[in-house]
Each structure stands twice: as structure tokens, then as C-alpha cells.
Amino acid sequence: MSKNYKRPDSFYDVPTHYCAGCGHGILHRIVAECVDELGIGEKTIAIAPVGCAVVAYDYWRMDCAEAAHGRALAVATAIKRCQSDRIVFTYQGDGDLAAIGTAETIHAANRGENLTVIFVNNAVYGMTGGQMAPTTLLEQKTTTSPRGRNVKTEGFPLKISEMLSLLEGVYSVERVSVSSPKEIFNTKRAIKQAFLNQVEEKGFSLVEVLSMCPTYWGKTPLEAAQWIETTLSGYFKLGKLK
Amino acid sequence: MKKRILISGNEAMGEAAIQAGCRFYAGYPITPQNELIAYMAAELPLRGGIFIQSESELAAINMVYGASGAGVRAMTSSSSPGISLKQEGISYIAGAQLPAVIINVMRAGPGLGNIWPAQSDYFQATKGGGHGDYRQIVLAPWSVQECFDLTQDAFVLADRYRIAAMILADGMLGQMMEALEYEEASSFPGIVQKPWALTGAKDRKPNIIRSLFMRPPDVEKNNILLQKKYHKIQSQETRCESRYCEDAKLVVVAYGSMARIALSAVETLRAKKEKVGLFRPVTLWPFPKKELRLSCPKAKKFLVVEMSYGQMVEDVRLSLESFKEVVFYGRSGGGVPTEKQIEREVFKTLNIKL
């Protein structure tokens, strides 16, 4: 019998610190699988965000830099420009990419930097304890929107992927989810393609992943996955945006 | 072959960086350092480097963080308000022990202030403008020649200690043109191996550039490591210049372009037989404490002159430990103490009626 499903080489054999039902573990594995399958592990440099995934380097066997909150794409830009034959990707949350780092995101995209961006949208700030994110849905309760997000005072959830898809410098933008095995397979396809785009020097590729945060959504893991399908993906529509 | 050219301080710092092997520059326009960013835009891509006009100062310093993390000699430049924006990034550079060169062509503050020369960022530069217990090397040129020489040294020191090195210049130095002499070297100065750089984990364990250490006492360990490094720099890298200090009864202490004006005043006073000297710190951090005490054995009084309302004067007082009288004179906000004003302050301090 051959073993055809194993732990990726780029993925250390250690337990993660993530909560039960969190999407990060699935996504970390997908990234490691893609890196292995493309044979790029020895030339890949990851940029870890400020957020729950800041210690991603404890799980990925590859060179890695932390970046200050929001600055991942500035750091990635320089690393890639200095070593254009390496594969550089950022792994960023919604607060990092779409709030404090909005300027870095838009300008790296607009310059058409040949980078891969994995944008994890769970509609909440996880690491700091469940505050409102730029992508928090209307009426969604968080510690800083305790009566629910109010459009009059907090505005609409930010569709930054749609905004980025309008930029001429951007090569590819796709929104996927990790809410079910089917969606996980699709997410892997999209992320692998985003890495391949960089290998082929196509330019800026972003994959937005709708991901579960049961802890700060106040849901069980199963309810959280269902909430993506019934509610979150109703506002943030899945599919290829560019 | 020795070259002699006429050049502005801003451009001299750019040329020095390129000749020192700087191969990455990111910056955002701000007066009075715009000649520097323009020089890098014109020259760096033609000489094998990467130039990026970033979307902000925050992006610029974080690009330097990235380039330096990749093992490349990297620099950014700005002026006071822009340097304030870079402080977060400088703190991360310190925490992650990355080499970086940062140029501050100081202008008057606070706030938007104006574009005239000032020295009011001394505290920010020498005491740690960002969060956390960290230091950066601070070099203060007083001529276009030193803008060039110290920028080159900044790259060597930054690499040697894996630390940020700042050139603390001002609008006057950045804008003025002087003769610059340099030797065109065939290799870059002070090149070191960087086995810690992010180049892809081929045939080695992965490298990580980080300043986060979640498990106690790891961040304390990192801080102790940093402090050891800072102590070593304090014991080995102080630089200063003293003129007419051996027999001076009063020593004027000034740095940067202010020291140029102070020297003129000191020389005029010497011609009038007044025993006055000039002490000029070249490294503002580490501050040349011991040298200040040793090079002025006869001095009873010290007059600190700055284009600020009294910042370096605190380090002078700390260095002299209250054993000497320290007097301050300064102007800031575009006002530059003149030779005449310094002479007047010297007479006042010596209780000589004019």
C-alpha cells in the first residue's frame, strides 16, 4: 500500500495554537501543500502578519519575516525586488490588509508587484479578542460594536478585493472559503494558481479566503462553517473577481 | 583615483550610499531632503540598485526592513515629520536586529513647523523615538565632506552591529554645496557575511526575522542581547573632535552645522586672547562622555549651543555629572544662533562685560 496523504514537508509536525474550528490550520496546511507540490520550498519567503497567524513560522518550514501590523506588503515588495527569483507571499488578516495596511495593500497591488497574497477574512479581530474588523458584517456584534455594526457610524463592510480587482496593475483576485471540503479543495486550487502566477511572473495575485473564527463569532465550529455559507458569503460573494 | 567635485550635502549622502554598496532605497518626498531622493532615483537603478518611491514613510521604512532582511544594504531618508512616521519601523528594525541606514535632514518642528534647518530631533534620534528599550547609532556631520564620509561609515557600523544607524543632518547641510573629495574604491567598505538573511532555506534551517517572542522569558533574553550590543557600541564607537580645548577655561559644545558656526566664534575669541575651545560630538549616540571630560581638563564652564531649546545639553550635563557649570544657548524654528550671538553668550558666561 502506498501512502498518498501525508503531512507536507513544509509543515512542521507540531500542534498549532489555533482554537477549535479555526480556519488558519486548514489554510496553513494548504499553503504548505502548494509550496511542496510546486517544489518551491527552498526559495520561498513568507511574511507573517500581526494577528493570530503571527507565529506561522512555527508551522511552516521556510524562511519567514514578521512584519509590523499592516506593513506586510511593503516588506514583501522589498524582499521580492531584491531577489526576483525567490517566491514571496504574505499571509494577512482583514485588519492587517484592509484597515491599518490599506495603503500598503493598494499601492503594492497598483505597482503590480509580482507577489502572492493570502488574505484571511474572518470578519473579526481574533488575536486582540474579537473586535470589529473592516469586514465585520452589518449588525454583527463584536466587543467594539456591542450593539452590532451600524452603517451610520461604522460604515459598510469593506469589499477590498472588489476594489483591488479594478486596478490595472493587479493580475488576479479570487474569493474562496474553507467552510467545507468542497470549498477547501477549491481554495487549494486558487492558492496554488496564485503561487504559479508568481512563478510565471504574471504579477500581483490575491486570494481572499473566508475563514471561521468560532471563538469570536460565539459559535460552535460547525455553526461557524455554516455561517460562512449562509451569511458571510452572501455579502462577500465567492468567485473569481479578476 | 581621487576625485574632487562640488556637490550638495543631500546629493553627497546619496553618492556615499551608492559607493558604500547601498542597493536598495525607498523614500517619500519631503523638504529639505528632496535632492537626496531625486539623486537616488536618478543614480541607483543605473548602478545595480533598486529605487522605490513609496506610498508613505511607513512603507519606506518597512521596505528597508524587508530589503535589509534579504541581506541587502538598504537606506531611507526623510526630514523631521517623515522621520516621526518611521519610528514604528525603526523599533521593529531594532527588535529584529537588522542593519539599516536612515538619514534625517532635520527641519523645524513641532508639527509641520517649517522647512528651515533645526536640531530639535536630538531627543528622538538619541533616546529612542519609537517604543521599547532600543538604541540606534547617531552620526552628526558638520560638512558636505562628512555627509559623505559618515554615510559610508553608517553602512559599515550598521552591518557590523546589526543596528540602525542614523545620519542626523539638517536643512543647512543638506542644501549647501561644498567641495567633496573621495577616492573611488574598487570594493565596498566593511562587507560582512549575513547568514541570517532571508534568501530561501536551501541547504540550511529556515531563517526567521522577528521581534516577537511570546514565551517568557524570551523577549527578556532578546533585550539582554540588545543591551550587551549597545554597551559594546558605547565602549568602542564614540567619536568626537576637540579644538583649542587643552587650555580652554570655557568650552563651547555644539554638533553638526551649529558647530561650524561655533568654531568661527571660538576662533574670533581666540584672536582676542580668550581661552575658549570647541568640543564637537560626532556620534550623538553613543555620546562621547569620557572624551568630553578628558579633553577639557582646564574648563570650568561649558556653553552648549544648539538649534533647539536644549536637548543635547542634557547629555552634556549627565557627562559632567554636575561638577562643572553648564550653560545653554539655543534658537529653533528657523532661527540659527549666529557667530556674534555665540560670542556674546561666551562673554556673558565668563562674566565679562561687553
Side-chain angles (χ1 to χ4, degrees):
Chain A
M1 283 249 292
S2 69
K3 190 175 175 182
N4 53 18
Y5 187 79
K6 61 179 183 67
R7 208 171 177 87
D9 290 339
S10 302
F11 205 37
Y12 293 122
D13 192 4
V14 292
T16 71
H17 71 289
Y18 298 116
C19 305
C22 170
H24 278 308
I26 300 167
L27 259 174
H28 280 16
R29 187 190 161 103
I30 288 175
V31 168
E33 283 180 0
C34 291
V35 166
D36 278 10
E37 287 169 22
L38 293 168
I40 54 174
E42 291 182 336
K43 60 174 186 177
T44 295
I45 298 153
I47 316 297
V50 169
C52 290
V54 59
V55 292
Y57 43 71
D58 284 348
Y59 311 128
W60 290 327
R61 185 179 281 108
M62 58 188 78
D63 276 9
C64 188
E66 283 170 5
H69 199 28
R71 318 290 166 233
L73 276 165
V75 174
T77 292
I79 293 178
K80 180 72 182 183
R81 292 275 197 112
C82 289
Q83 313 176 91
S84 57
D85 57 341
R86 304 302 199 280
I87 302 302
V88 182
F89 75 95
T90 67
Y91 184 100
Q92 301 177 259
D94 35 48
D96 193 65
L97 183 136
I100 198 166
T102 311
E104 283 77 4
T105 303
I106 288 178
H107 288 277
N110 194 50
R111 287 191 302 264
E113 300 291 347
N114 187 26
L115 295 167
T116 304
V117 181
I118 296 157
F119 166 34
V120 188
N121 178 2
N122 59 12
V124 75
Y125 283 66
M127 196 196 211
T128 45
Q131 294 83 3
M132 185 182 71
T135 51
T136 292
L137 293 186
L138 292 180
E139 292 168 26
Q140 186 183 336
K141 286 182 180 168
T142 70
T143 64
T144 52
S145 57
R147 288 164 292 281
R149 183 175 187 156
N150 179 344
V151 70
K152 286 193 177 149
T153 45
E154 282 91 48
F156 290 96
L158 191 65
K159 290 181 176 170
I160 197 158
S161 291
E162 278 81 350
M163 287 166 62
L164 293 172
S165 68
L166 297 173
L167 300 179
E168 287 164 274
V170 170
Y171 179 71
S172 149
V173 184
E174 185 165 1
R175 186 182 288 120
V176 294
S177 136
V178 287
S179 58
S180 71
K182 180 183 149 218
E183 297 301 339
I184 290 168
F185 278 117
N186 189 42
T187 295
K188 181 174 169 189
R189 177 203 51 77
I191 289 178
K192 197 169 171 183
Q193 186 60 49
F195 275 110
L196 201 59
N197 291 344
Q198 186 178 164
V199 173
E200 293 171 354
E201 299 183 12
K202 295 272 175 55
F204 192 90
S205 301
L206 180 142
V207 181
E208 175 178 342
V209 186
L210 303 185
S211 177
M212 296 77 76
C213 182
T215 302
Y216 293 112
W217 291 352
K219 298 186 190 318
T220 66
L222 187 62
E223 286 166 355
Q226 284 165 347
W227 190 71
I228 289 183
E229 303 202 342
T230 58
T231 312
L232 194 60
S233 62
Y235 188 83
F236 293 109
K237 297 263 189 293
L238 303 185
K240 189 106 170 99
L241 293 160
K242 186 170 188 178
Chain B
M1 202 186 72
K2 218 167 206 174
K3 265 191 147 179
R4 188 175 162 87
I5 57 170
L6 182 69
I7 192 169
S8 73
N10 281 336
E11 291 166 312
M13 290 186 277
E15 179 59 30
I18 297 170
Q19 287 193 33
C22 172
R23 286 299 172 266
F24 184 91
Y25 172 95
Y28 187 90
I30 183 169
T31 310
Q33 62 84 58
N34 291 315
E35 295 77 10
L36 178 42
I37 182 172
Y39 194 85
M40 297 311 264
E43 290 291 321
L44 196 53
L46 303 181
R47 291 157 77 175
I50 292 150
F51 168 87
I52 299 180
Q53 179 172 334
S54 58
E55 59 272 29
S56 69
E57 301 294 0
L58 285 72
I61 191 70
N62 282 284
M63 285 176 183
V64 166
Y65 173 102
S68 176
V72 172
R73 282 190 165 170
M75 180 170 97
T76 185
S77 66
S78 190
S79 178
S80 310
I83 296 292
S84 293
L85 286 169
K86 292 186 198 290
Q87 293 305 325
E88 178 204 38
I90 296 172
S91 171
Y92 278 70
I93 283 168
Q97 297 210 64
L98 291 173
V101 174
I102 301 148
I103 290 175
N104 182 0
V105 182
M106 285 184 285
R107 57 188 256 182
L112 211 44
N114 66 26
I115 60 172
W116 298 102
Q119 294 182 319
S120 40
D121 301 347
Y122 180 94
F123 284 154
Q124 185 192 56
T126 62
K127 312 292 176 192
H131 61 284
D133 276 314
Y134 77 91
R135 296 289 189 173
Q136 61 182 1
I137 293 173
V138 184
L139 300 160
W142 78 338
S143 63
V144 169
Q145 183 69 48
E146 269 196 0
C147 283
F148 185 92
D149 295 340
L150 294 181
T151 301
Q152 293 218 317
D153 293 347
F155 280 97
V156 176
L157 291 167
D159 270 2
R160 185 183 300 158
Y161 293 103
R162 293 182 61 183
I163 194 170
M166 178 176 277
I167 302 292
L168 200 64
D170 63 63
M172 198 168 0
L173 278 170
Q175 296 292 319
M176 74 185 186
M177 294 180 91
E178 286 189 303
L180 166 69
E181 270 191 1
Y182 61 88
E183 199 81 56
E184 266 188 296
S186 53
S187 62
F188 303 136
I191 289 292
V192 297
Q193 294 296 313
K194 297 179 177 175
W196 45 264
L198 303 180
T199 53
K202 188 168 161 57
D203 304 325
R204 60 160 170 77
K205 281 187 179 166
N207 284 336
I208 300 165
I209 302 284
R210 68 194 296 190
S211 61
L212 176 84
F213 302 91
M214 287 292 271
R215 292 183 199 94
D218 289 2
V219 81
E220 193 166 2
K221 272 192 209 160
N222 193 45
N223 270 310
I224 290 166
L225 200 74
L226 292 179
Q227 292 303 318
K228 272 190 190 154
K229 175 167 87 175
Y230 299 151
H231 287 141
K232 192 173 172 195
I233 295 169
Q234 280 176 309
S235 68
Q236 295 185 358
E237 303 297 347
T238 50
R239 298 187 195 187
C240 60
E241 187 184 0
S242 54
R243 302 266 186 114
Y244 314 106
C245 283
E246 300 77 16
D247 65 341
K249 283 199 273 181
L250 180 145
V251 170
V252 179
V253 186
Y255 71 94
S257 54
M258 196 63 252
R260 286 278 282 277
I261 300 167
L263 179 64
S264 303
V266 164
E267 288 182 334
T268 307
L269 289 161
R270 277 275 162 182
K272 292 177 185 168
K273 308 282 182 221
E274 295 295 340
K275 288 193 171 167
V276 178
L278 171 74
F279 183 84
R280 173 172 79 97
V282 175
T283 51
L284 301 179
W285 193 89
F287 192 80
K289 277 185 188 176
K290 206 166 62 187
E291 293 86 341
L292 175 61
R293 288 197 296 263
L294 296 178
S295 57
C296 313
K298 302 266 171 69
K300 297 214 161 34
K301 293 182 177 183
F302 290 80
L303 171 65
V304 182
V305 185
E306 298 178 56
M307 284 188 273
S308 82
Y309 289 101
Q311 301 197 11
M312 181 179 71
V313 63
E314 293 191 2
D315 280 334
V316 173
R317 287 200 173 109
L318 285 169
S319 304
L320 299 171
E321 293 172 355
S322 313
F323 294 125
K324 311 280 179 183
E325 187 182 335
V326 178
V327 180
F328 175 76
Y329 178 68
R331 295 175 63 188
S332 184
V336 178
T338 63
E339 201 182 317
K340 279 272 169 249
Q341 284 168 330
I342 297 170
E343 277 179 50
R344 195 190 63 211
E345 292 303 314
V346 168
F347 284 128
K348 215 161 87 182
T349 310
L350 290 171
N351 298 318
I352 296 171
K353 288 227 168 75
L354 289 172

